[in-house]
Amino acid sequence: MRWTERQHTLLAGLGLKLWQAPAGHSEPTAHPAPPPPLPPVARPHRSPSAMAPSVPVPAPAPEVENTVLVPAPTVPGVASLDWAGLRQAVASCEACSLCRSRTQTVFGVGAERADVMIVGEAPGEQEDLRGEPFVGPAGQLLDNMLRAIGHSRAPGEGSPLRPVFIANTLKCRPPRNRNPDAQELARCLPFLYRQIELVQPRLLLASGKFAIQALLDTQEAVGRLRGRVHQFRGIPVVVTYHPAYLLRQLAEKSKAWDDLCLAMHTLSRLPPR
């Protein structure tokens, strides 16, 4: 994919840098040659509040972490649902008390088959009203970040951007945007896991504390899990900060960009479907 000078200028104005595939990388074919090892790259110092105009080539991906796989709670029939059945099951779910306070459920958005699936936390007020994950300022920031690495939740026909699928860990908004409790998360996990099975992503991006808990079954802080490639049922998982957090902590934007570079580097080295 080629980017014009105007597009580079637009991304720079948004505080983002364009991810570029490692030199010599091309789209995988039916019989791809094994990628050559990448040499270590010295990363220049840069201010955490701004991104440099050029994109550093990320170092080779570290070894995949062994993590405890999360057992899905038993919900009869969910494991066999197709997309239409799963949407209906989420829309009519009354498994926990959140069904009484929601405006509507927030199922997910994007391509039903995608290389990258982004998992967020719980719906906020605007998501509850619109029925779509990651809307408002946090959603705009996520969309800008995705465009910077050549992806989009809804690329138009003929667009060079690649589609993703986006879903929240919780499908209903907790009242007053409080944190979800353990029972609420447990009741919603089968829906998320079935979405992952249907999308068949090659890589998962876990955005925020509760997404990390859902996929990695850990209470570790985001900052301690970043920079490593984890696994969920054989799928690589890269951990990053939630866009809403980045809007409050602007100095962490460069770390989130490093996470996206790691995700794209990892994806580029995976075998094709």
Side-chain angles (χ1 to χ4, degrees), residues 17 111 119 136 143 161 175 184 209 232 271:
K17 303 177 301 181
V119 179
D143 288 341
L161 301 177
E184 292 163 351
K209 172 183 176 181
F232 172 81

Side-chain angles (χ1 to χ4, degrees), residues 112-119 165 193-205 232-236 267 270 273:
E112 293 182 352
R113 185 64 62 86
D115 284 345
V116 177
M117 179 171 173
I118 300 165
V119 179
F165 188 82
Y193 295 166
R194 183 56 181 160
Q195 286 177 312
I196 294 173
E197 291 171 352
L198 291 172
V199 174
Q200 297 184 21
R202 296 169 64 215
L203 181 136
L204 289 161
L205 186 66
F232 172 81
R233 300 180 180 178
I235 304 172
L267 184 64
L270 293 175
R273 289 185 181 275

Side-chain angles (χ1 to χ4, degrees), residues 15-37:
L16 296 170
K17 303 177 301 181
L18 179 64
W19 176 84
Q20 297 176 344
H25 171 69
S26 61
E27 289 296 317
T29 61
H31 303 282

